[in-house]
Amino acid sequence: MRSDIEFDAEGVTLRGWLYAPDERNGPVPAIVMAHGYSAVKEMYLDRFAEHFVSRGLAAVVFDNRNFGASGGEPRQEIDPWAQVRDYRHAITWAERRHEIDAQRIGVWGSDYSGGHALVVGAVDRRVTCVVSQVPLVSGRDNFRALVSSAFLADVRTQFDDDRRARFAGKDPTMVPVVDADPSAPAALPTPDSYEWFMTTHEERAPSWRNQVTMRSVEMLTEYEPGGYVPRISPTPLLMIVARGDHLTPAEFAIAAFARANEPKRLEILPGSHYDAYTDDFDLAADAAADWFVQHLRT
């Protein structure tokens, strides 16, 4: 069912897994998948892929460049636009596989990559179906929701200092992804982020590292995938939102969904952001699989 894969993304080797149904009559529809902010594929993407395969779909799962098993430098740097391009490289790779029907390829993303799925679905017409789970839709609004206004000037100074240091040839400034102290500097400064990342790192993903470059945070503040939402149509869009999400606040995602054109569907999970991978997994995975089957297997 699962095999290790690697493919070239303009000089960077991306690595991951290909899932395909054991029994199939010819090429099958496929879902291209990558993870969110700093996360690696072992952080429940295998579980989602297995669920999709059980419904007769293939899944192409890969680690984002600079993370996990994939290549790329500087390590631990998140460039959202490079990650968007890598989704498109993965689609091109998938088109060439004999197991996959090149005319029926969907994209799935969650958290940061939930935003990527919106962008890719809007700009790449090879995509025939989109699922965006607990997405970031506005880096600026999200950042301001997480960081007290009293600290915004200090953070901007840190961005500028890091830029000057890198220009002078110094190593990138690194910051923790999460911290036990929610008031401490971190890219994702919420208690549930700390609990989920540290627990999932220990139980499932030893390759995950609790750091990103300072520039990764700066680029997050500049990233506005929600602006692409009206352009996704006529490609079908499913947005999965968590009612109690305060990391990528539910109200931001729902407002972005309202700007989407048909065909579209909104699924609201009862829990919080990270429950989409755990307590609410069945709800999230079933909704996504149903949407993909409806629009890719017909």
Side-chain angles (χ1 to χ4, degrees):
M1 180 187 297
R2 184 176 99 180
S3 57
D4 293 336
I5 62 172
E6 63 178 45
F7 55 93
D8 177 70
E10 297 179 333
V12 173
T13 299
L14 302 182
R15 299 182 177 89
W17 302 314
L18 171 63
Y19 289 79
D22 291 331
E23 297 182 6
R24 57 185 184 273
N25 295 316
V28 297
I31 315 304
V32 172
M33 309 169 57
H35 221 316
Y37 202 86
S38 89
V40 294
K41 63 186 182 300
E42 291 82 4
M43 291 172 146
Y44 293 99
L45 291 199
D46 50 347
R47 195 177 179 197
F48 279 95
E50 289 165 3
H51 191 84
F52 297 155
V53 169
S54 74
R55 300 289 299 274
L57 307 166
V60 178
V61 183
F62 65 97
D63 276 327
N64 289 305
R65 65 173 60 213
N66 309 335
F67 288 86
S70 288
E73 297 288 343
R75 301 304 292 174
Q76 304 302 116
E77 179 149 289
I78 306 169
D79 181 337
W81 290 109
Q83 292 184 353
V84 165
R85 289 193 296 272
D86 288 343
Y87 259 90
R88 303 183 76 180
H89 292 312
I91 292 169
T92 302
W93 179 87
E95 287 180 316
R96 300 166 63 88
R97 298 290 301 193
H98 68 87
E99 306 96 330
I100 292 172
D101 183 341
Q103 303 305 311
R104 296 185 292 170
I105 295 178
V107 293
W108 178 98
S110 187
D111 183 79
Y112 212 42
S113 68
H116 302 344
L118 299 174
V119 177
V120 175
V123 302
D124 196 323
R125 287 303 167 194
R126 295 175 298 173
V127 174
T128 53
C129 191
V130 177
V131 173
S132 176
Q133 176 178 283
V134 293
L136 175 125
V137 298
S138 170
R140 179 183 183 275
D141 291 346
N142 219 101
F143 185 71
R144 288 178 174 269
L146 293 176
V147 178
S148 168
S149 58
F151 297 108
L152 290 177
D154 289 341
V155 173
R156 176 57 59 187
T157 297
Q158 292 173 42
F159 291 162
D160 295 341
D161 288 346
D162 173 64
R163 186 174 296 278
R164 296 184 185 104
R166 293 173 74 142
F167 186 82
K170 296 181 180 179
D171 291 337
T173 301
M174 308 300 290
V175 296
V177 178
V178 294
D179 194 283
D181 180 358
S183 65
L188 304 178
T190 65
D192 59 340
S193 295
Y194 178 80
E195 179 180 356
W196 185 83
F197 272 100
M198 299 309 292
T199 299
T200 308
H201 166 53
E202 180 178 346
E203 295 180 352
R204 298 179 61 94
S207 69
W208 177 79
R209 295 170 57 192
N210 186 21
Q211 60 176 196
V212 293
T213 64
M214 177 65 75
R215 187 161 65 178
S216 300
V217 182
E218 183 177 25
M219 286 188 283
L220 181 152
T221 69
E222 301 164 351
Y223 187 42
E224 297 292 323
Y228 287 81
V229 167
R231 295 169 52 184
I232 296 172
S233 178
T235 302
L237 167 66
L238 169 65
M239 188 178 289
I240 300 173
V241 177
R243 185 183 302 276
D245 194 338
H246 56 271
L247 180 65
T248 55
E251 60 265 30
F252 296 165
I254 293 171
F257 178 81
R259 299 193 295 271
N261 297 308
E262 297 289 347
K264 63 179 182 178
R265 177 184 160 200
L266 178 65
E267 180 79 17
I268 299 182
L269 305 178
S272 61
H273 185 89
Y274 296 102
D275 287 333
Y277 308 103
T278 54
D279 293 353
D280 292 338
F281 169 81
D282 288 339
L283 295 173
D286 282 343
D290 288 347
W291 191 250
F292 285 134
V293 167
Q294 177 184 350
H295 294 286
L296 295 180
R297 299 206 64 184
T298 56

